[in-house]
Amino acid sequence: MMEGKKMVGHTGFGYIETIDRPCAELINNLTMMDSANVTDAQNRTGAMDRGIKPLDQGKRIFGTAITVELPLGDNLMLYKALDLAQPGDVLVVYTNGNFNKAIWGELMTKSAMLLKVGGLVVDGLIRDRQANRNHDFPIFCRGTTSVSVEKNGPGFVNGEIPCGGTVVRPGDIIIGDDDGVVVVKKENLSMVIENLKQIEQREITRSQEIANGQALPKWFAQLMAEKGLLPGMNREDTRIGKK
Ligand SMILES: O=C([O-])CC(=O)C(=O)O
Ligand SMILES: [Mg+2]
């Protein structure tokens, strides 16, 4: 639950209307970042598990999270999430382990596109796979099935949720590409942007070194020496426990 925010409804069935958003200028720094570099910039944290994949390879997802918790077998409150989302927001959905029924389909994609929602990440399934692939709307999910769910509730929008083995809160930043989905906690945004600048610079420098014929990085020879694996050593020299 978010402190100090007005809640409509009650525990497990309701929503929080307004969320704390990082400022757009900060978020824009991450627009084109690779998910791989973003997890590196967070000391290898924040990545959802690899079961959550792009429905359509090559589509990126990026935006501020609106979070949704659905009960098993229902998607009513996902429509409330669409209603609350601002242009560019990404819907992130926890289904309470519903891996048998689809909580999203093509008509919802069309609604989302009309509202300029930035995409969908769901720890569960969707349907209308082929039709969804034809739309310019990124979906990251565990898979597809033909069977849909009820529309009765309960469910909650804009609480803290688990998704793909990590925690997502409304206002966190979601970045996804062919490698998977990464969450940047909103309070870490400035630090992540700073770290990313260094990571990107390192990648440029290393790419130039490779282009200039330096196949292995400088640190490699040094590390091998530190590990005692010096050129010319035979097996006996490196035997474990040898004095
Ligand atoms: O009816 C549903 O729950 C989802 C669906 O197929 C659609 O939106 O097209
Ligand atoms: Mg449908």
Side-chain angles (χ1 to χ4, degrees), residues 79 81-89 91 108-118:
Y79 291 83
L82 281 168
D83 188 32
L84 290 175
Q86 292 183 8
D89 285 349
L91 307 183
M108 296 173 90
T109 293
K110 286 180 172 171
S111 297
M113 289 178 77
L114 182 64
L115 294 163
K116 299 190 166 42
V117 170

PDB file of all heavy atoms in Angstrom, residues 79 81-89 91 108-118:
ATOM      1  N   TYR A  79      -9.073  -3.252 -16.482  1.00  0.00           N
ATOM      2  CA  TYR A  79      -9.765  -2.175 -17.203  1.00  0.00           C
ATOM      3  C   TYR A  79      -9.652  -0.870 -16.406  1.00  0.00           C
ATOM      4  O   TYR A  79      -9.536   0.212 -16.983  1.00  0.00           O
ATOM      5  CB  TYR A  79     -11.233  -2.543 -17.454  1.00  0.00           C
ATOM      6  CG  TYR A  79     -11.381  -3.664 -18.464  1.00  0.00           C
ATOM      7  CD1 TYR A  79     -11.265  -4.994 -18.074  1.00  0.00           C
ATOM      8  CD2 TYR A  79     -11.601  -3.392 -19.806  1.00  0.00           C
ATOM      9  CE1 TYR A  79     -11.379  -6.025 -18.996  1.00  0.00           C
ATOM     10  CE2 TYR A  79     -11.713  -4.413 -20.747  1.00  0.00           C
ATOM     11  CZ  TYR A  79     -11.600  -5.729 -20.333  1.00  0.00           C
ATOM     12  OH  TYR A  79     -11.700  -6.739 -21.251  1.00  0.00           O
ATOM     13  N   ALA A  81      -7.100  -0.137 -14.576  1.00  0.00           N
ATOM     14  CA  ALA A  81      -5.711   0.291 -14.809  1.00  0.00           C
ATOM     15  C   ALA A  81      -5.613   1.057 -16.130  1.00  0.00           C
ATOM     16  O   ALA A  81      -4.930   2.085 -16.215  1.00  0.00           O
ATOM     17  CB  ALA A  81      -4.782  -0.914 -14.814  1.00  0.00           C
ATOM     18  N   LEU A  82      -6.315   0.565 -17.152  1.00  0.00           N
ATOM     19  CA  LEU A  82      -6.340   1.293 -18.437  1.00  0.00           C
ATOM     20  C   LEU A  82      -6.931   2.685 -18.233  1.00  0.00           C
ATOM     21  O   LEU A  82      -6.441   3.674 -18.780  1.00  0.00           O
ATOM     22  CB  LEU A  82      -7.190   0.525 -19.462  1.00  0.00           C
ATOM     23  CG  LEU A  82      -6.532  -0.668 -20.146  1.00  0.00           C
ATOM     24  CD1 LEU A  82      -7.569  -1.488 -20.907  1.00  0.00           C
ATOM     25  CD2 LEU A  82      -5.429  -0.209 -21.091  1.00  0.00           C
ATOM     26  N   ASP A  83      -7.964   2.735 -17.413  1.00  0.00           N
ATOM     27  CA  ASP A  83      -8.656   4.001 -17.142  1.00  0.00           C
ATOM     28  C   ASP A  83      -7.743   4.990 -16.407  1.00  0.00           C
ATOM     29  O   ASP A  83      -7.809   6.197 -16.635  1.00  0.00           O
ATOM     30  CB  ASP A  83      -9.894   3.666 -16.297  1.00  0.00           C
ATOM     31  CG  ASP A  83     -10.811   4.849 -16.105  1.00  0.00           C
ATOM     32  OD1 ASP A  83     -10.882   5.690 -17.019  1.00  0.00           O
ATOM     33  OD2 ASP A  83     -11.460   4.920 -15.041  1.00  0.00           O
ATOM     34  N   LEU A  84      -6.863   4.477 -15.540  1.00  0.00           N
ATOM     35  CA  LEU A  84      -5.996   5.352 -14.736  1.00  0.00           C
ATOM     36  C   LEU A  84      -4.684   5.708 -15.440  1.00  0.00           C
ATOM     37  O   LEU A  84      -4.027   6.682 -15.083  1.00  0.00           O
ATOM     38  CB  LEU A  84      -5.650   4.665 -13.405  1.00  0.00           C
ATOM     39  CG  LEU A  84      -6.785   4.516 -12.387  1.00  0.00           C
ATOM     40  CD1 LEU A  84      -6.304   3.701 -11.191  1.00  0.00           C
ATOM     41  CD2 LEU A  84      -7.285   5.877 -11.928  1.00  0.00           C
ATOM     42  N   ALA A  85      -4.297   4.908 -16.428  1.00  0.00           N
ATOM     43  CA  ALA A  85      -2.972   5.088 -17.049  1.00  0.00           C
ATOM     44  C   ALA A  85      -2.888   6.407 -17.801  1.00  0.00           C
ATOM     45  O   ALA A  85      -3.859   6.850 -18.419  1.00  0.00           O
ATOM     46  CB  ALA A  85      -2.682   3.934 -17.997  1.00  0.00           C
ATOM     47  N   GLN A  86      -1.716   7.016 -17.750  1.00  0.00           N
ATOM     48  CA  GLN A  86      -1.428   8.204 -18.567  1.00  0.00           C
ATOM     49  C   GLN A  86      -0.648   7.757 -19.806  1.00  0.00           C
ATOM     50  O   GLN A  86      -0.047   6.681 -19.803  1.00  0.00           O
ATOM     51  CB  GLN A  86      -0.605   9.209 -17.767  1.00  0.00           C
ATOM     52  CG  GLN A  86      -1.399   9.813 -16.628  1.00  0.00           C
ATOM     53  CD  GLN A  86      -0.620  10.874 -15.877  1.00  0.00           C
ATOM     54  OE1 GLN A  86       0.468  11.280 -16.273  1.00  0.00           O
ATOM     55  NE2 GLN A  86      -1.184  11.309 -14.769  1.00  0.00           N
ATOM     56  N   PRO A  87      -0.670   8.583 -20.864  1.00  0.00           N
ATOM     57  CA  PRO A  87       0.089   8.214 -22.063  1.00  0.00           C
ATOM     58  C   PRO A  87       1.531   7.847 -21.710  1.00  0.00           C
ATOM     59  O   PRO A  87       2.181   8.550 -20.929  1.00  0.00           O
ATOM     60  CB  PRO A  87       0.028   9.475 -22.922  1.00  0.00           C
ATOM     61  CG  PRO A  87      -1.269  10.101 -22.531  1.00  0.00           C
ATOM     62  CD  PRO A  87      -1.406   9.846 -21.045  1.00  0.00           C
ATOM     63  N   GLY A  88       1.999   6.740 -22.251  1.00  0.00           N
ATOM     64  CA  GLY A  88       3.375   6.294 -22.004  1.00  0.00           C
ATOM     65  C   GLY A  88       3.516   5.330 -20.844  1.00  0.00           C
ATOM     66  O   GLY A  88       4.535   4.648 -20.725  1.00  0.00           O
ATOM     67  N   ASP A  89       2.519   5.257 -19.967  1.00  0.00           N
ATOM     68  CA  ASP A  89       2.617   4.323 -18.836  1.00  0.00           C
ATOM     69  C   ASP A  89       2.600   2.879 -19.320  1.00  0.00           C
ATOM     70  O   ASP A  89       2.009   2.559 -20.353  1.00  0.00           O
ATOM     71  CB  ASP A  89       1.433   4.508 -17.879  1.00  0.00           C
ATOM     72  CG  ASP A  89       1.562   5.772 -17.033  1.00  0.00           C
ATOM     73  OD1 ASP A  89       2.644   6.385 -17.029  1.00  0.00           O
ATOM     74  OD2 ASP A  89       0.563   6.135 -16.378  1.00  0.00           O
ATOM     75  N   LEU A  91       1.545  -1.016 -18.154  1.00  0.00           N
ATOM     76  CA  LEU A  91       0.781  -1.804 -17.184  1.00  0.00           C
ATOM     77  C   LEU A  91       1.593  -3.027 -16.789  1.00  0.00           C
ATOM     78  O   LEU A  91       2.066  -3.765 -17.667  1.00  0.00           O
ATOM     79  CB  LEU A  91      -0.564  -2.244 -17.763  1.00  0.00           C
ATOM     80  CG  LEU A  91      -1.466  -1.154 -18.350  1.00  0.00           C
ATOM     81  CD1 LEU A  91      -2.795  -1.762 -18.810  1.00  0.00           C
ATOM     82  CD2 LEU A  91      -1.708  -0.034 -17.351  1.00  0.00           C
ATOM     83  N   MET A 108      -8.322  -5.334 -25.863  1.00  0.00           N
ATOM     84  CA  MET A 108      -7.665  -4.544 -24.811  1.00  0.00           C
ATOM     85  C   MET A 108      -6.437  -3.821 -25.378  1.00  0.00           C
ATOM     86  O   MET A 108      -6.142  -2.691 -25.013  1.00  0.00           O
ATOM     87  CB  MET A 108      -7.306  -5.430 -23.620  1.00  0.00           C
ATOM     88  CG  MET A 108      -8.547  -6.008 -22.955  1.00  0.00           C
ATOM     89  SD  MET A 108      -8.167  -7.207 -21.685  1.00  0.00           S
ATOM     90  CE  MET A 108      -8.050  -6.143 -20.243  1.00  0.00           C
ATOM     91  N   THR A 109      -5.725  -4.486 -26.271  1.00  0.00           N
ATOM     92  CA  THR A 109      -4.594  -3.826 -26.943  1.00  0.00           C
ATOM     93  C   THR A 109      -5.078  -2.591 -27.698  1.00  0.00           C
ATOM     94  O   THR A 109      -4.467  -1.515 -27.628  1.00  0.00           O
ATOM     95  CB  THR A 109      -3.888  -4.800 -27.912  1.00  0.00           C
ATOM     96  OG1 THR A 109      -3.260  -5.823 -27.144  1.00  0.00           O
ATOM     97  CG2 THR A 109      -2.853  -4.099 -28.770  1.00  0.00           C
ATOM     98  N   LYS A 110      -6.204  -2.740 -28.395  1.00  0.00           N
ATOM     99  CA  LYS A 110      -6.733  -1.595 -29.152  1.00  0.00           C
ATOM    100  C   LYS A 110      -7.131  -0.463 -28.206  1.00  0.00           C
ATOM    101  O   LYS A 110      -6.868   0.709 -28.486  1.00  0.00           O
ATOM    102  CB  LYS A 110      -7.926  -2.037 -30.000  1.00  0.00           C
ATOM    103  CG  LYS A 110      -7.533  -2.857 -31.215  1.00  0.00           C
ATOM    104  CD  LYS A 110      -8.772  -3.260 -31.995  1.00  0.00           C
ATOM    105  CE  LYS A 110      -8.401  -3.915 -33.316  1.00  0.00           C
ATOM    106  NZ  LYS A 110      -9.581  -4.502 -33.980  1.00  0.00           N
ATOM    107  N   SER A 111      -7.761  -0.800 -27.068  1.00  0.00           N
ATOM    108  CA  SER A 111      -8.096   0.227 -26.063  1.00  0.00           C
ATOM    109  C   SER A 111      -6.831   0.918 -25.577  1.00  0.00           C
ATOM    110  O   SER A 111      -6.767   2.147 -25.479  1.00  0.00           O
ATOM    111  CB  SER A 111      -8.776  -0.396 -24.840  1.00  0.00           C
ATOM    112  OG  SER A 111      -9.978  -0.988 -25.171  1.00  0.00           O
ATOM    113  N   ALA A 112      -5.830   0.100 -25.250  1.00  0.00           N
ATOM    114  CA  ALA A 112      -4.573   0.641 -24.717  1.00  0.00           C
ATOM    115  C   ALA A 112      -3.915   1.578 -25.725  1.00  0.00           C
ATOM    116  O   ALA A 112      -3.389   2.638 -25.359  1.00  0.00           O
ATOM    117  CB  ALA A 112      -3.630  -0.507 -24.355  1.00  0.00           C
ATOM    118  N   MET A 113      -3.964   1.194 -26.991  1.00  0.00           N
ATOM    119  CA  MET A 113      -3.337   2.041 -28.021  1.00  0.00           C
ATOM    120  C   MET A 113      -4.093   3.356 -28.182  1.00  0.00           C
ATOM    121  O   MET A 113      -3.487   4.416 -28.366  1.00  0.00           O
ATOM    122  CB  MET A 113      -3.256   1.287 -29.345  1.00  0.00           C
ATOM    123  CG  MET A 113      -2.224   0.162 -29.290  1.00  0.00           C
ATOM    124  SD  MET A 113      -2.134  -0.792 -30.796  1.00  0.00           S
ATOM    125  CE  MET A 113      -1.215   0.334 -31.841  1.00  0.00           C
ATOM    126  N   LEU A 114      -5.406   3.287 -28.077  1.00  0.00           N
ATOM    127  CA  LEU A 114      -6.222   4.511 -28.151  1.00  0.00           C
ATOM    128  C   LEU A 114      -5.838   5.464 -27.013  1.00  0.00           C
ATOM    129  O   LEU A 114      -5.783   6.681 -27.186  1.00  0.00           O
ATOM    130  CB  LEU A 114      -7.705   4.136 -28.072  1.00  0.00           C
ATOM    131  CG  LEU A 114      -8.717   5.267 -28.186  1.00  0.00           C
ATOM    132  CD1 LEU A 114      -8.636   5.919 -29.563  1.00  0.00           C
ATOM    133  CD2 LEU A 114     -10.134   4.736 -27.941  1.00  0.00           C
ATOM    134  N   LEU A 115      -5.529   4.878 -25.848  1.00  0.00           N
ATOM    135  CA  LEU A 115      -5.158   5.675 -24.665  1.00  0.00           C
ATOM    136  C   LEU A 115      -3.666   6.006 -24.637  1.00  0.00           C
ATOM    137  O   LEU A 115      -3.188   6.616 -23.694  1.00  0.00           O
ATOM    138  CB  LEU A 115      -5.537   4.899 -23.397  1.00  0.00           C
ATOM    139  CG  LEU A 115      -7.036   4.697 -23.178  1.00  0.00           C
ATOM    140  CD1 LEU A 115      -7.287   3.587 -22.158  1.00  0.00           C
ATOM    141  CD2 LEU A 115      -7.680   6.002 -22.710  1.00  0.00           C
ATOM    142  N   LYS A 116      -2.932   5.543 -25.665  1.00  0.00           N
ATOM    143  CA  LYS A 116      -1.481   5.770 -25.777  1.00  0.00           C
ATOM    144  C   LYS A 116      -0.690   5.137 -24.625  1.00  0.00           C
ATOM    145  O   LYS A 116       0.356   5.640 -24.199  1.00  0.00           O
ATOM    146  CB  LYS A 116      -1.152   7.262 -25.907  1.00  0.00           C
ATOM    147  CG  LYS A 116      -1.773   7.893 -27.143  1.00  0.00           C
ATOM    148  CD  LYS A 116      -1.226   9.282 -27.374  1.00  0.00           C
ATOM    149  CE  LYS A 116      -1.529   9.845 -28.743  1.00  0.00           C
ATOM    150  NZ  LYS A 116      -2.874   9.604 -29.259  1.00  0.00           N
ATOM    151  N   VAL A 117      -1.218   4.035 -24.082  1.00  0.00           N
ATOM    152  CA  VAL A 117      -0.486   3.276 -23.064  1.00  0.00           C
ATOM    153  C   VAL A 117       0.762   2.686 -23.721  1.00  0.00           C
ATOM    154  O   VAL A 117       0.737   2.298 -24.897  1.00  0.00           O
ATOM    155  CB  VAL A 117      -1.397   2.166 -22.470  1.00  0.00           C
ATOM    156  CG1 VAL A 117      -0.610   1.197 -21.596  1.00  0.00           C
ATOM    157  CG2 VAL A 117      -2.543   2.803 -21.692  1.00  0.00           C
ATOM    158  N   GLY A 118       1.869   2.626 -22.947  1.00  0.00           N
ATOM    159  CA  GLY A 118       3.157   2.261 -23.539  1.00  0.00           C
ATOM    160  C   GLY A 118       3.391   0.779 -23.715  1.00  0.00           C
ATOM    161  O   GLY A 118       4.301   0.374 -24.446  1.00  0.00           O
TER     162      GLY A 118
END
